[in-house]
Amino acid sequence: MSRLMEPLSVGRVIGEVVDIFSPSVRMNVTYSTKEVANGHELMPSTVMAKPRVEIGGDDMRTAYTLIMTDPDAPSPSDPCLREHLHWMVTDIPGTTDVSFGKEIMGYESPKPVIGIHRYVFILFKQRGRQTVRAPSSRDHFNTRKFSEENGLGLPVAAVYFNAQRETAARRR
């Protein structure tokens, strides 16, 4: 397993959210000045506004779909809403950022109440433009099933961060 994939396996993103894949496109996710790195913790107050997501690739004619999901909703010990969909953007041209895509599920900021939650960004290469349909619900979202239903195949990139409820003591 590559060094890039190891944190995704350790964090159980591979297995619980997606199957093992070979990353083939660069993706950088940044909240204000904080870049998302696998397994790092970000405070909910830091992730209130949608992040900037830059996508590599080698051709602007290639379209991508970005999904942000919480596999630990409503709590890691009882993820009965798994997965909760926080954001979805489709038709993102390669070599650009998500602002050039079509937001089909608006950004919902993470608000973990119980436990440490994983928030996963998954990038898929589309077969063509306007080929991805919006899911019917944010709760009980299934990344694998969604990928299959929309002909997306395996992810081309993924990254996740952890967040937990902020207490007054943690904000200092």
Short mmCIF file of all heavy atoms in Angstrom, two decimals, residues 55-96:
data_model
loop_
_atom_site.label_atom_id
_atom_site.label_comp_id
_atom_site.label_asym_id
_atom_site.label_seq_id
_atom_site.Cartn_x
_atom_site.Cartn_y
_atom_site.Cartn_z
N ILE A 55 -8.19 21.11 -7.75
CA ILE A 55 -8.11 19.80 -8.37
C ILE A 55 -7.07 19.83 -9.47
O ILE A 55 -7.03 20.76 -10.29
CB ILE A 55 -9.49 19.40 -8.93
CG1 ILE A 55 -10.44 19.22 -7.75
CG2 ILE A 55 -9.40 18.14 -9.76
CD1 ILE A 55 -11.86 19.09 -8.13
N GLY A 56 -6.25 18.79 -9.48
CA GLY A 56 -5.22 18.67 -10.53
C GLY A 56 -5.84 18.12 -11.79
O GLY A 56 -6.83 18.63 -12.29
N GLY A 57 -5.31 17.02 -12.26
CA GLY A 57 -5.76 16.49 -13.54
C GLY A 57 -4.94 17.13 -14.64
O GLY A 57 -4.13 18.03 -14.41
N ASP A 58 -5.15 16.64 -15.84
CA ASP A 58 -4.32 17.16 -16.94
C ASP A 58 -5.14 17.75 -18.07
O ASP A 58 -4.60 18.12 -19.10
CB ASP A 58 -3.41 16.04 -17.47
CG ASP A 58 -4.16 14.76 -17.76
OD1 ASP A 58 -5.41 14.80 -17.82
OD2 ASP A 58 -3.51 13.72 -17.92
N ASP A 59 -6.45 17.88 -17.87
CA ASP A 59 -7.29 18.34 -18.97
C ASP A 59 -8.55 19.01 -18.42
O ASP A 59 -9.30 18.40 -17.65
CB ASP A 59 -7.68 17.13 -19.83
CG ASP A 59 -8.36 17.51 -21.12
OD1 ASP A 59 -8.85 18.66 -21.24
OD2 ASP A 59 -8.40 16.66 -22.02
N MET A 60 -8.82 20.24 -18.83
CA MET A 60 -10.02 20.96 -18.38
C MET A 60 -11.30 20.33 -18.91
O MET A 60 -12.37 20.59 -18.41
CB MET A 60 -9.97 22.43 -18.79
CG MET A 60 -9.07 23.26 -17.91
SD MET A 60 -9.24 25.01 -18.25
CE MET A 60 -10.83 25.34 -17.51
N ARG A 61 -11.18 19.51 -19.96
CA ARG A 61 -12.38 18.86 -20.52
C ARG A 61 -12.85 17.68 -19.67
O ARG A 61 -13.97 17.22 -19.81
CB ARG A 61 -12.11 18.39 -21.96
CG ARG A 61 -11.89 19.58 -22.91
CD ARG A 61 -11.43 19.10 -24.24
NE ARG A 61 -10.10 18.50 -24.05
CZ ARG A 61 -9.26 18.19 -25.03
NH1 ARG A 61 -9.60 18.40 -26.27
NH2 ARG A 61 -8.09 17.65 -24.78
N THR A 62 -11.99 17.22 -18.76
CA THR A 62 -12.36 16.13 -17.86
C THR A 62 -13.17 16.71 -16.70
O THR A 62 -12.80 17.73 -16.14
CB THR A 62 -11.10 15.43 -17.31
OG1 THR A 62 -10.32 14.97 -18.42
CG2 THR A 62 -11.46 14.25 -16.43
N ALA A 63 -14.27 16.04 -16.36
CA ALA A 63 -15.14 16.53 -15.28
C ALA A 63 -15.00 15.62 -14.05
O ALA A 63 -14.82 14.41 -14.18
CB ALA A 63 -16.59 16.56 -15.75
N TYR A 64 -15.11 16.23 -12.87
CA TYR A 64 -14.98 15.51 -11.60
C TYR A 64 -16.17 15.81 -10.70
O TYR A 64 -16.81 16.86 -10.81
CB TYR A 64 -13.69 15.93 -10.88
CG TYR A 64 -12.44 15.53 -11.63
CD1 TYR A 64 -11.84 16.40 -12.53
CD2 TYR A 64 -11.87 14.28 -11.44
CE1 TYR A 64 -10.71 16.03 -13.23
CE2 TYR A 64 -10.73 13.90 -12.14
CZ TYR A 64 -10.16 14.78 -13.03
OH TYR A 64 -9.03 14.40 -13.72
N THR A 65 -16.42 14.88 -9.78
CA THR A 65 -17.43 15.06 -8.74
C THR A 65 -16.74 15.01 -7.39
O THR A 65 -15.93 14.10 -7.13
CB THR A 65 -18.49 13.93 -8.79
OG1 THR A 65 -19.26 14.09 -9.98
CG2 THR A 65 -19.43 13.99 -7.59
N LEU A 66 -17.04 15.97 -6.53
CA LEU A 66 -16.50 16.03 -5.17
C LEU A 66 -17.63 15.75 -4.19
O LEU A 66 -18.70 16.35 -4.28
CB LEU A 66 -15.90 17.40 -4.87
CG LEU A 66 -15.41 17.59 -3.43
CD1 LEU A 66 -14.09 16.84 -3.22
CD2 LEU A 66 -15.24 19.06 -3.11
N ILE A 67 -17.35 14.86 -3.24
CA ILE A 67 -18.30 14.53 -2.18
C ILE A 67 -17.61 14.78 -0.85
O ILE A 67 -16.44 14.45 -0.68
CB ILE A 67 -18.70 13.04 -2.27
CG1 ILE A 67 -19.49 12.78 -3.54
CG2 ILE A 67 -19.48 12.61 -1.05
CD1 ILE A 67 -19.66 11.31 -3.85
N MET A 68 -18.34 15.37 0.10
CA MET A 68 -17.86 15.48 1.48
C MET A 68 -18.88 14.76 2.35
O MET A 68 -20.07 15.09 2.32
CB MET A 68 -17.74 16.93 1.92
CG MET A 68 -17.30 17.09 3.36
SD MET A 68 -17.39 18.83 3.86
CE MET A 68 -16.96 18.71 5.58
N THR A 69 -18.43 13.78 3.11
CA THR A 69 -19.33 12.95 3.87
C THR A 69 -18.81 12.70 5.29
O THR A 69 -17.61 12.79 5.53
CB THR A 69 -19.56 11.61 3.12
OG1 THR A 69 -20.49 10.82 3.83
CG2 THR A 69 -18.29 10.83 2.94
N ASP A 70 -19.74 12.44 6.21
CA ASP A 70 -19.42 12.11 7.60
C ASP A 70 -19.90 10.68 7.86
O ASP A 70 -21.10 10.45 8.02
CB ASP A 70 -20.11 13.08 8.55
CG ASP A 70 -19.95 12.71 10.03
OD1 ASP A 70 -19.26 11.72 10.36
OD2 ASP A 70 -20.54 13.42 10.88
N PRO A 71 -18.98 9.71 7.91
CA PRO A 71 -19.39 8.33 8.17
C PRO A 71 -19.68 8.06 9.64
O PRO A 71 -20.02 6.93 9.99
CB PRO A 71 -18.19 7.52 7.68
CG PRO A 71 -17.02 8.43 7.81
CD PRO A 71 -17.55 9.82 7.60
N ASP A 72 -19.55 9.05 10.50
CA ASP A 72 -19.72 8.86 11.94
C ASP A 72 -20.98 9.54 12.50
O ASP A 72 -21.07 9.78 13.69
CB ASP A 72 -18.48 9.38 12.68
CG ASP A 72 -17.24 8.67 12.23
OD1 ASP A 72 -17.26 7.43 12.13
OD2 ASP A 72 -16.23 9.35 11.96
N ALA A 73 -21.95 9.86 11.65
CA ALA A 73 -23.15 10.56 12.10
C ALA A 73 -24.18 9.58 12.67
O ALA A 73 -24.39 8.53 12.09
CB ALA A 73 -23.77 11.34 10.94
N PRO A 74 -24.82 9.91 13.77
CA PRO A 74 -24.65 11.10 14.60
C PRO A 74 -23.53 10.96 15.62
O PRO A 74 -23.10 11.95 16.19
CB PRO A 74 -26.00 11.23 15.31
CG PRO A 74 -26.46 9.82 15.46
CD PRO A 74 -25.96 9.10 14.22
N SER A 75 -23.05 9.72 15.85
CA SER A 75 -21.91 9.54 16.76
C SER A 75 -21.09 8.34 16.28
O SER A 75 -21.65 7.41 15.71
CB SER A 75 -22.38 9.32 18.20
OG SER A 75 -22.86 8.00 18.37
N PRO A 76 -19.78 8.36 16.53
CA PRO A 76 -18.94 7.25 16.10
C PRO A 76 -19.34 5.90 16.71
O PRO A 76 -19.19 4.86 16.07
CB PRO A 76 -17.54 7.65 16.56
CG PRO A 76 -17.59 9.14 16.68
CD PRO A 76 -19.00 9.45 17.11
N SER A 77 -19.90 5.92 17.92
CA SER A 77 -20.29 4.66 18.55
C SER A 77 -21.64 4.15 18.03
O SER A 77 -21.95 2.97 18.17
CB SER A 77 -20.34 4.81 20.07
OG SER A 77 -21.27 5.80 20.42
N ASP A 78 -22.44 5.02 17.41
CA ASP A 78 -23.72 4.63 16.84
C ASP A 78 -23.96 5.42 15.56
O ASP A 78 -24.78 6.34 15.52
CB ASP A 78 -24.86 4.87 17.84
CG ASP A 78 -26.21 4.44 17.29
OD1 ASP A 78 -26.25 3.58 16.37
OD2 ASP A 78 -27.23 4.97 17.75
N PRO A 79 -23.23 5.07 14.49
CA PRO A 79 -23.35 5.84 13.24
C PRO A 79 -24.59 5.45 12.43
O PRO A 79 -24.50 5.09 11.26
CB PRO A 79 -22.06 5.49 12.51
CG PRO A 79 -21.75 4.10 12.97
CD PRO A 79 -22.23 4.03 14.39
N CYS A 80 -25.76 5.54 13.05
CA CYS A 80 -26.99 5.06 12.42
C CYS A 80 -27.43 5.91 11.21
O CYS A 80 -28.28 5.47 10.44
CB CYS A 80 -28.11 4.95 13.44
SG CYS A 80 -28.54 6.52 14.22
N LEU A 81 -26.86 7.09 11.03
CA LEU A 81 -27.18 7.91 9.85
C LEU A 81 -26.10 7.79 8.77
O LEU A 81 -26.15 8.50 7.78
CB LEU A 81 -27.36 9.38 10.25
CG LEU A 81 -28.47 9.67 11.25
CD1 LEU A 81 -28.51 11.15 11.60
CD2 LEU A 81 -29.81 9.19 10.74
N ARG A 82 -25.13 6.93 9.01
CA ARG A 82 -23.99 6.76 8.10
C ARG A 82 -24.47 6.60 6.69
O ARG A 82 -25.36 5.83 6.43
CB ARG A 82 -23.17 5.54 8.49
CG ARG A 82 -22.04 5.24 7.53
CD ARG A 82 -21.23 4.04 7.89
NE ARG A 82 -20.44 4.31 9.08
CZ ARG A 82 -19.82 3.36 9.78
NH1 ARG A 82 -19.93 2.11 9.43
NH2 ARG A 82 -19.11 3.67 10.83
N GLU A 83 -23.86 7.24 5.79
CA GLU A 83 -23.01 8.41 5.89
C GLU A 83 -23.91 9.64 5.79
O GLU A 83 -24.92 9.59 5.13
CB GLU A 83 -22.03 8.44 4.72
CG GLU A 83 -21.13 7.24 4.57
CD GLU A 83 -20.50 7.15 3.18
OE1 GLU A 83 -20.16 8.16 2.54
OE2 GLU A 83 -20.37 6.03 2.72
N HIS A 84 -23.49 10.74 6.40
CA HIS A 84 -24.22 11.99 6.24
C HIS A 84 -23.48 12.82 5.20
O HIS A 84 -22.29 13.07 5.32
CB HIS A 84 -24.33 12.76 7.56
CG HIS A 84 -25.12 14.01 7.43
ND1 HIS A 84 -26.50 14.01 7.41
CD2 HIS A 84 -24.73 15.29 7.25
CE1 HIS A 84 -26.93 15.25 7.24
NE2 HIS A 84 -25.88 16.04 7.14
N LEU A 85 -24.20 13.23 4.16
CA LEU A 85 -23.60 13.99 3.06
C LEU A 85 -23.57 15.47 3.41
O LEU A 85 -24.61 16.08 3.65
CB LEU A 85 -24.42 13.76 1.78
CG LEU A 85 -23.92 14.45 0.53
CD1 LEU A 85 -22.53 13.94 0.14
CD2 LEU A 85 -24.90 14.21 -0.61
N HIS A 86 -22.37 16.05 3.43
CA HIS A 86 -22.22 17.46 3.78
C HIS A 86 -22.11 18.37 2.56
O HIS A 86 -22.39 19.56 2.67
CB HIS A 86 -20.98 17.67 4.66
CG HIS A 86 -21.24 17.35 6.09
ND1 HIS A 86 -21.62 18.28 7.01
CD2 HIS A 86 -21.21 16.17 6.76
CE1 HIS A 86 -21.79 17.72 8.19
NE2 HIS A 86 -21.56 16.42 8.06
N TRP A 87 -21.68 17.82 1.41
CA TRP A 87 -21.45 18.69 0.26
C TRP A 87 -21.29 17.83 -0.98
O TRP A 87 -20.71 16.74 -0.90
CB TRP A 87 -20.19 19.49 0.52
CG TRP A 87 -19.93 20.68 -0.35
CD1 TRP A 87 -20.82 21.48 -0.99
CD2 TRP A 87 -18.64 21.24 -0.64
NE1 TRP A 87 -20.18 22.49 -1.64
CE2 TRP A 87 -18.84 22.38 -1.44
CE3 TRP A 87 -17.35 20.89 -0.29
CZ2 TRP A 87 -17.79 23.16 -1.90
CZ3 TRP A 87 -16.30 21.68 -0.74
CH2 TRP A 87 -16.52 22.80 -1.54
N MET A 88 -21.78 18.32 -2.11
CA MET A 88 -21.53 17.65 -3.38
C MET A 88 -21.46 18.68 -4.49
O MET A 88 -22.34 19.53 -4.63
CB MET A 88 -22.62 16.63 -3.69
CG MET A 88 -22.33 15.85 -4.97
SD MET A 88 -23.58 14.63 -5.35
CE MET A 88 -23.28 13.45 -4.04
N VAL A 89 -20.39 18.58 -5.27
CA VAL A 89 -20.18 19.45 -6.42
C VAL A 89 -19.84 18.54 -7.60
O VAL A 89 -18.99 17.66 -7.50
CB VAL A 89 -19.03 20.45 -6.19
CG1 VAL A 89 -18.89 21.40 -7.38
CG2 VAL A 89 -19.25 21.25 -4.90
N THR A 90 -20.52 18.76 -8.73
CA THR A 90 -20.28 17.95 -9.93
C THR A 90 -19.75 18.83 -11.06
O THR A 90 -19.74 20.07 -10.96
CB THR A 90 -21.57 17.25 -10.40
OG1 THR A 90 -22.52 18.25 -10.78
CG2 THR A 90 -22.14 16.37 -9.31
N ASP A 91 -19.37 18.19 -12.13
CA ASP A 91 -18.93 18.88 -13.36
C ASP A 91 -17.80 19.87 -13.11
O ASP A 91 -17.76 20.95 -13.71
CB ASP A 91 -20.12 19.58 -14.05
CG ASP A 91 -21.19 18.60 -14.49
OD1 ASP A 91 -20.85 17.45 -14.82
OD2 ASP A 91 -22.38 18.98 -14.49
N ILE A 92 -16.87 19.50 -12.23
CA ILE A 92 -15.71 20.35 -11.95
C ILE A 92 -14.67 20.08 -13.02
O ILE A 92 -14.23 18.94 -13.18
CB ILE A 92 -15.11 20.04 -10.57
CG1 ILE A 92 -16.18 20.09 -9.47
CG2 ILE A 92 -13.95 20.98 -10.26
CD1 ILE A 92 -15.76 19.39 -8.18
N PRO A 93 -14.25 21.10 -13.76
CA PRO A 93 -13.22 20.86 -14.78
C PRO A 93 -11.87 20.56 -14.12
O PRO A 93 -11.53 21.16 -13.09
CB PRO A 93 -13.15 22.19 -15.54
CG PRO A 93 -14.32 22.99 -15.10
CD PRO A 93 -14.72 22.47 -13.76
N GLY A 94 -11.13 19.63 -14.71
CA GLY A 94 -9.79 19.34 -14.21
C GLY A 94 -8.93 20.59 -14.27
O GLY A 94 -9.21 21.51 -15.05
N THR A 95 -7.91 20.65 -13.47
CA THR A 95 -6.94 21.76 -13.37
C THR A 95 -7.57 23.05 -12.84
O THR A 95 -7.04 24.13 -13.07
CB THR A 95 -6.20 22.05 -14.70
OG1 THR A 95 -7.10 22.69 -15.62
CG2 THR A 95 -5.62 20.79 -15.31
N THR A 96 -8.73 22.96 -12.16
CA THR A 96 -9.38 24.17 -11.62
C THR A 96 -9.73 23.94 -10.15
O THR A 96 -9.15 23.09 -9.50
CB THR A 96 -10.68 24.50 -12.40
OG1 THR A 96 -11.63 23.45 -12.19
CG2 THR A 96 -10.42 24.69 -13.87
#
